[in-house]
Amino acid sequence: EPEVTQTPSHQVTQMGQEVILRCVPISNHLYFYWYRQILGQKVEFLVSFYNNEISEKSEIFDDQFSVERPDGSNFTLKIRSTKLEDSAMYFCASIAGGKGEQYFGPGTRLTVT
Amino acid sequence: GDSVTQMEGPVTLSEEAFLTINCTYTATGYPSLFWYVQYPGEGLQLLLKATKADDKGSNKGFEATYRKETTSFHLEKGSVQVSDSAVYFCALSGSDSWGKLQFGAGTQVVVTP
């Protein structure tokens, strides 16, 4: 069964450093998403991406965040200068289109020290 | 804005007990409603969904009915197993969104033998 993959599974970084979280969505999917889950809190929407541009973003997704689909298979989330409060589990998801099922990756745990 | 409220956990049950997890929502228009499950150390998996009022979603013995009059989508299972131990998330996708999911806080379910 096709699946969404994410790397790395765990990333530790120092405050102020840049991190790139990587996702490989399911190959024929068209819509891509990033969510995050701070420990003990709810899963929060960050951004959606379609046709090589951001279609929607939340208030959390400020200028420190960016997304890219550099090569037609990878979908990346970059945090330019990490803060302690960016520590969370980050989930990538994709859907084929419309109101289809969102398939989630296993997540990347980001720890900012 | 759209929001989802679900009962707090943890919910601890014995095997073969009846499970109910309450979920209510606030949304404009006609959202789609979902239950996702997260097993320990894994990503989010779609458990069931309903896209219009009075629809019943079902999967693996779990059921939930989209009740527009009470803005609810309660999850039920008649006889739980130890393997059902997980965190369950209620979520909605607004009728005017790009598929973005709004999640509830999640309810941890622990089933003991």
Side-chain angles (χ1 to χ4, degrees):
Chain A
E1 186 175 328
E3 58 182 14
V4 176
T5 59
Q6 290 185 241
T7 53
S9 57
H10 190 192
Q11 172 97 43
V12 181
T13 190
Q14 289 190 324
M15 196 167 54
Q17 295 296 303
E18 175 184 285
V19 293
I20 297 176
L21 309 184
R22 291 185 166 80
C23 168
V24 179
I26 294 171
S27 62
N28 63 341
H29 283 189
L30 301 176
Y31 296 79
F32 313 107
Y33 306 84
W34 283 101
Y35 296 83
R36 79 171 185 191
Q37 184 182 28
I38 295 171
L39 187 64
Q41 298 186 23
K42 65 168 66 176
V43 178
E44 301 171 291
F45 167 78
L46 292 178
V47 66
S48 59
F49 190 86
Y50 170 71
N51 202 26
N52 281 320
E53 59 184 28
I54 291 173
S55 47
E56 192 172 359
K57 61 183 181 179
S58 72
E59 292 175 356
I60 302 167
F61 195 89
D62 61 21
D63 291 344
Q64 293 299 312
F65 291 87
S66 61
V67 289
E68 198 176 35
R69 190 157 159 80
D71 57 13
S73 61
N74 289 282
F75 179 50
T76 61
L77 174 70
K78 182 193 291 186
I79 308 175
R80 221 178 315 279
S81 177
T82 50
K83 307 182 187 71
L84 294 176
E85 54 265 36
D86 294 327
S87 296
M89 183 74 90
Y90 288 81
F91 293 104
C92 172
S94 68
I95 58 174
K99 299 292 185 180
E101 173 184 348
Q102 277 195 38
Y103 288 81
F104 281 79
T108 293
R109 179 167 297 284
L110 176 65
T111 302
V112 182
T113 62
Chain B
D2 296 350
S3 67
V4 176
T5 303
Q6 64 180 103
M7 62 188 284
E8 291 186 19
V11 174
T12 303
L13 303 160
S14 298
E15 209 164 19
E16 299 184 4
F18 184 86
L19 170 68
T20 299
I21 304 176
N22 289 339
C23 171
T24 56
Y25 69 90
T26 303
T28 53
Y30 301 93
S32 296
L33 302 174
F34 306 84
W35 277 100
Y36 278 82
V37 60
Q38 185 178 32
Y39 297 104
E42 298 185 16
L44 296 160
Q45 299 174 26
L46 180 66
L47 182 60
L48 53 83
K49 69 178 183 182
T51 57
K52 60 183 188 295
D54 300 326
D55 266 3
K56 178 188 281 189
S58 61
N59 186 24
K60 299 181 182 178
F62 290 89
E63 291 183 342
T65 301
Y66 188 144
R67 301 278 187 210
K68 191 156 178 66
E69 63 276 14
T70 53
T71 62
S72 64
F73 193 55
H74 304 321
L75 182 68
E76 296 181 336
K77 185 174 186 183
S79 176
V80 293
Q81 306 300 312
V82 172
S83 57
D84 294 324
S85 297
V87 180
Y88 293 80
F89 293 91
C90 185
L92 72 79
S93 177
S95 53
D96 59 349
S97 75
W98 286 81
K100 120 185 147 185
L101 291 171
Q102 189 83 25
F103 284 89
T107 302
Q108 184 179 11
V109 173
V110 178
V111 181
T112 58

Tab-separated table of all heavy atoms in Angstrom, chain B residues 75-108:
chain	number	residue	atom	x	y	z
B	75	LEU	N	-18.045	8.870	18.430
B	75	LEU	CA	-17.468	7.581	18.020
B	75	LEU	C	-17.910	6.495	18.996
B	75	LEU	O	-17.861	6.703	20.219
B	75	LEU	CB	-15.942	7.674	18.014
B	75	LEU	CG	-15.193	6.426	17.550
B	75	LEU	CD1	-15.410	6.178	16.067
B	75	LEU	CD2	-13.692	6.554	17.844
B	76	GLU	N	-18.312	5.351	18.456
B	76	GLU	CA	-18.757	4.239	19.300
B	76	GLU	C	-18.179	2.929	18.801
B	76	GLU	O	-17.974	2.742	17.597
B	76	GLU	CB	-20.297	4.128	19.286
B	76	GLU	CG	-21.005	5.316	19.864
B	76	GLU	CD	-22.519	5.145	19.858
B	76	GLU	OE1	-23.026	4.358	19.036
B	76	GLU	OE2	-23.174	5.797	20.677
B	77	LYS	N	-17.949	2.034	19.773
B	77	LYS	CA	-17.613	0.650	19.428
B	77	LYS	C	-18.234	-0.234	20.484
B	77	LYS	O	-18.107	0.030	21.687
B	77	LYS	CB	-16.111	0.420	19.348
B	77	LYS	CG	-15.778	-1.002	18.861
B	77	LYS	CD	-14.298	-1.221	18.620
B	77	LYS	CE	-14.078	-2.612	17.996
B	77	LYS	NZ	-12.662	-2.952	17.786
B	78	GLY	N	-18.858	-1.291	20.031
B	78	GLY	CA	-19.629	-2.113	20.946
B	78	GLY	C	-18.800	-2.988	21.869
B	78	GLY	O	-19.191	-3.271	22.999
B	79	SER	N	-17.626	-3.425	21.421
B	79	SER	CA	-16.836	-4.355	22.213
B	79	SER	C	-15.361	-4.111	21.885
B	79	SER	O	-14.870	-4.547	20.843
B	79	SER	CB	-17.230	-5.796	21.889
B	79	SER	OG	-16.413	-6.709	22.573
B	80	VAL	N	-14.671	-3.399	22.782
B	80	VAL	CA	-13.294	-3.011	22.472
B	80	VAL	C	-12.318	-4.144	22.779
B	80	VAL	O	-12.593	-5.020	23.613
B	80	VAL	CB	-12.878	-1.741	23.247
B	80	VAL	CG1	-13.662	-0.533	22.755
B	80	VAL	CG2	-13.035	-1.933	24.756
B	81	GLN	N	-11.184	-4.089	22.114
B	81	GLN	CA	-10.099	-5.036	22.322
B	81	GLN	C	-8.866	-4.285	22.815
B	81	GLN	O	-8.767	-3.053	22.636
B	81	GLN	CB	-9.773	-5.757	21.006
B	81	GLN	CG	-10.960	-6.423	20.358
B	81	GLN	CD	-11.572	-7.476	21.268
B	81	GLN	OE1	-10.858	-8.304	21.822
B	81	GLN	NE2	-12.897	-7.441	21.429
B	82	VAL	N	-7.938	-5.019	23.382
B	82	VAL	CA	-6.692	-4.390	23.850
B	82	VAL	C	-6.005	-3.639	22.707
B	82	VAL	O	-5.431	-2.570	22.901
B	82	VAL	CB	-5.751	-5.445	24.463
B	82	VAL	CG1	-4.390	-4.838	24.765
B	82	VAL	CG2	-6.363	-6.034	25.737
B	83	SER	N	-6.115	-4.200	21.504
B	83	SER	CA	-5.480	-3.587	20.328
B	83	SER	C	-6.116	-2.255	19.930
B	83	SER	O	-5.565	-1.553	19.066
B	83	SER	CB	-5.524	-4.546	19.140
B	83	SER	OG	-6.865	-4.921	18.869
B	84	ASP	N	-7.237	-1.895	20.519
B	84	ASP	CA	-7.869	-0.589	20.245
B	84	ASP	C	-7.258	0.532	21.090
B	84	ASP	O	-7.636	1.701	20.930
B	84	ASP	CB	-9.374	-0.655	20.513
B	84	ASP	CG	-10.100	-1.568	19.547
B	84	ASP	OD1	-9.705	-1.609	18.365
B	84	ASP	OD2	-11.051	-2.254	19.978
B	85	SER	N	-6.343	0.187	21.958
B	85	SER	CA	-5.673	1.203	22.772
B	85	SER	C	-4.898	2.148	21.855
B	85	SER	O	-4.023	1.716	21.102
B	85	SER	CB	-4.715	0.545	23.769
B	85	SER	OG	-5.422	-0.279	24.667
B	86	ALA	N	-5.236	3.424	21.922
B	86	ALA	CA	-4.661	4.406	21.000
B	86	ALA	C	-5.194	5.785	21.390
B	86	ALA	O	-5.984	5.913	22.326
B	86	ALA	CB	-5.058	4.093	19.553
B	87	VAL	N	-4.780	6.794	20.637
B	87	VAL	CA	-5.360	8.127	20.782
B	87	VAL	C	-6.275	8.365	19.589
B	87	VAL	O	-5.877	8.127	18.441
B	87	VAL	CB	-4.275	9.224	20.857
B	87	VAL	CG1	-4.925	10.595	21.013
B	87	VAL	CG2	-3.325	8.959	22.019
B	88	TYR	N	-7.472	8.830	19.850
B	88	TYR	CA	-8.480	9.039	18.812
B	88	TYR	C	-8.734	10.536	18.652
B	88	TYR	O	-8.959	11.244	19.634
B	88	TYR	CB	-9.777	8.311	19.176
B	88	TYR	CG	-9.606	6.809	19.154
B	88	TYR	CD1	-9.026	6.134	20.230
B	88	TYR	CD2	-9.978	6.064	18.039
B	88	TYR	CE1	-8.829	4.758	20.201
B	88	TYR	CE2	-9.798	4.691	17.994
B	88	TYR	CZ	-9.219	4.051	19.081
B	88	TYR	OH	-9.026	2.688	19.043
B	89	PHE	N	-8.684	10.982	17.401
B	89	PHE	CA	-8.877	12.406	17.093
B	89	PHE	C	-10.100	12.591	16.212
B	89	PHE	O	-10.224	11.956	15.158
B	89	PHE	CB	-7.669	12.966	16.322
B	89	PHE	CG	-6.393	13.022	17.105
B	89	PHE	CD1	-5.512	11.963	17.085
B	89	PHE	CD2	-6.074	14.145	17.857
B	89	PHE	CE1	-4.320	12.006	17.801
B	89	PHE	CE2	-4.891	14.203	18.580
B	89	PHE	CZ	-4.016	13.134	18.556
B	90	CYS	N	-10.965	13.474	16.637
B	90	CYS	CA	-12.075	13.914	15.807
B	90	CYS	C	-11.590	15.113	14.983
B	90	CYS	O	-10.802	15.938	15.492
B	90	CYS	CB	-13.243	14.321	16.705
B	90	CYS	SG	-14.751	14.753	15.851
B	91	ALA	N	-12.004	15.215	13.744
B	91	ALA	CA	-11.524	16.302	12.892
B	91	ALA	C	-12.598	16.707	11.892
B	91	ALA	O	-13.491	15.904	11.573
B	91	ALA	CB	-10.261	15.878	12.148
B	92	LEU	N	-12.498	17.930	11.428
B	92	LEU	CA	-13.401	18.372	10.366
B	92	LEU	C	-12.631	19.070	9.267
B	92	LEU	O	-11.551	19.622	9.494
B	92	LEU	CB	-14.511	19.272	10.908
B	92	LEU	CG	-14.212	20.703	11.379
B	92	LEU	CD1	-14.077	21.695	10.227
B	92	LEU	CD2	-15.349	21.181	12.286
B	93	SER	N	-13.213	19.021	8.083
B	93	SER	CA	-12.680	19.753	6.938
B	93	SER	C	-13.809	20.649	6.448
B	93	SER	O	-14.865	20.155	6.053
B	93	SER	CB	-12.236	18.780	5.854
B	93	SER	OG	-11.781	19.489	4.720
B	94	GLY	N	-13.578	21.951	6.499
B	94	GLY	CA	-14.618	22.898	6.133
B	94	GLY	C	-14.976	22.828	4.663
B	94	GLY	O	-14.155	22.450	3.827
B	95	SER	N	-16.201	23.219	4.363
B	95	SER	CA	-16.674	23.127	2.984
B	95	SER	C	-15.941	24.101	2.065
B	95	SER	O	-15.923	23.912	0.851
B	95	SER	CB	-18.178	23.385	2.928
B	95	SER	OG	-18.493	24.611	3.571
B	96	ASP	N	-15.323	25.130	2.635
B	96	ASP	CA	-14.627	26.111	1.803
B	96	ASP	C	-13.117	26.053	1.977
B	96	ASP	O	-12.415	26.981	1.620
B	96	ASP	CB	-15.132	27.514	2.121
B	96	ASP	CG	-14.912	27.869	3.589
B	96	ASP	OD1	-14.565	26.952	4.363
B	96	ASP	OD2	-15.093	29.030	3.955
B	97	SER	N	-12.603	24.969	2.542
B	97	SER	CA	-11.156	24.894	2.780
B	97	SER	C	-10.495	24.087	1.675
B	97	SER	O	-11.159	23.420	0.890
B	97	SER	CB	-10.867	24.240	4.126
B	97	SER	OG	-11.077	22.850	4.041
B	98	TRP	N	-9.189	24.128	1.634
B	98	TRP	CA	-8.410	23.347	0.694
B	98	TRP	C	-8.061	21.991	1.299
B	98	TRP	O	-6.934	21.528	1.187
B	98	TRP	CB	-7.135	24.095	0.314
B	98	TRP	CG	-7.373	25.239	-0.592
B	98	TRP	CD1	-7.790	26.487	-0.258
B	98	TRP	CD2	-7.199	25.257	-2.016
B	98	TRP	NE1	-7.874	27.279	-1.373
B	98	TRP	CE2	-7.514	26.558	-2.460
B	98	TRP	CE3	-6.786	24.295	-2.949
B	98	TRP	CZ2	-7.460	26.920	-3.800
B	98	TRP	CZ3	-6.717	24.660	-4.290
B	98	TRP	CH2	-7.060	25.964	-4.698
B	99	GLY	N	-9.070	21.400	1.960
B	99	GLY	CA	-8.858	20.084	2.555
B	99	GLY	C	-8.208	20.126	3.919
B	99	GLY	O	-7.991	19.086	4.528
B	100	LYS	N	-7.922	21.333	4.433
B	100	LYS	CA	-7.238	21.407	5.710
B	100	LYS	C	-8.122	20.811	6.798
B	100	LYS	O	-9.341	20.987	6.812
B	100	LYS	CB	-6.874	22.856	6.010
B	100	LYS	CG	-7.445	23.439	7.255
B	100	LYS	CD	-7.148	24.885	7.418
B	100	LYS	CE	-8.348	25.515	8.129
B	100	LYS	NZ	-8.202	26.952	8.229
B	101	LEU	N	-7.508	20.075	7.706
B	101	LEU	CA	-8.210	19.440	8.811
B	101	LEU	C	-8.059	20.258	10.084
B	101	LEU	O	-6.967	20.722	10.414
B	101	LEU	CB	-7.663	18.031	9.049
B	101	LEU	CG	-7.967	17.010	7.961
B	101	LEU	CD1	-7.191	15.728	8.196
B	101	LEU	CD2	-9.460	16.705	7.902
B	102	GLN	N	-9.182	20.400	10.797
B	102	GLN	CA	-9.192	21.021	12.118
B	102	GLN	C	-9.416	19.886	13.109
B	102	GLN	O	-10.437	19.191	13.030
B	102	GLN	CB	-10.342	22.022	12.194
B	102	GLN	CG	-10.349	22.891	13.408
B	102	GLN	CD	-9.431	24.087	13.249
B	102	GLN	OE1	-9.162	24.516	12.145
B	102	GLN	NE2	-8.960	24.605	14.356
B	103	PHE	N	-8.482	19.682	14.032
B	103	PHE	CA	-8.536	18.535	14.941
B	103	PHE	C	-9.040	18.914	16.318
B	103	PHE	O	-8.824	20.039	16.799
B	103	PHE	CB	-7.132	17.934	15.111
B	103	PHE	CG	-6.662	17.124	13.941
B	103	PHE	CD1	-5.975	17.718	12.890
B	103	PHE	CD2	-6.887	15.763	13.888
B	103	PHE	CE1	-5.534	16.971	11.807
B	103	PHE	CE2	-6.442	15.006	12.816
B	103	PHE	CZ	-5.775	15.611	11.782
B	104	GLY	N	-9.681	17.948	16.967
B	104	GLY	CA	-9.918	18.052	18.388
B	104	GLY	C	-8.643	17.712	19.148
B	104	GLY	O	-7.617	17.362	18.555
B	105	ALA	N	-8.725	17.780	20.458
B	105	ALA	CA	-7.539	17.610	21.305
B	105	ALA	C	-7.058	16.171	21.389
B	105	ALA	O	-5.939	15.926	21.831
B	105	ALA	CB	-7.827	18.141	22.706
B	106	GLY	N	-7.895	15.238	20.978
B	106	GLY	CA	-7.513	13.835	21.069
B	106	GLY	C	-7.955	13.217	22.380
B	106	GLY	O	-7.961	13.876	23.425
B	107	THR	N	-8.344	11.962	22.321
B	107	THR	CA	-8.759	11.220	23.513
B	107	THR	C	-7.966	9.922	23.562
B	107	THR	O	-8.038	9.112	22.628
B	107	THR	CB	-10.270	10.879	23.469
B	107	THR	OG1	-11.014	12.081	23.360
B	107	THR	CG2	-10.677	10.118	24.721
B	108	GLN	N	-7.206	9.758	24.647
B	108	GLN	CA	-6.462	8.510	24.795
B	108	GLN	C	-7.381	7.431	25.351
B	108	GLN	O	-8.091	7.656	26.341
B	108	GLN	CB	-5.272	8.694	25.724
B	108	GLN	CG	-4.414	7.446	25.837
B	108	GLN	CD	-3.214	7.611	26.740
B	108	GLN	OE1	-3.105	8.599	27.462
B	108	GLN	NE2	-2.303	6.664	26.696
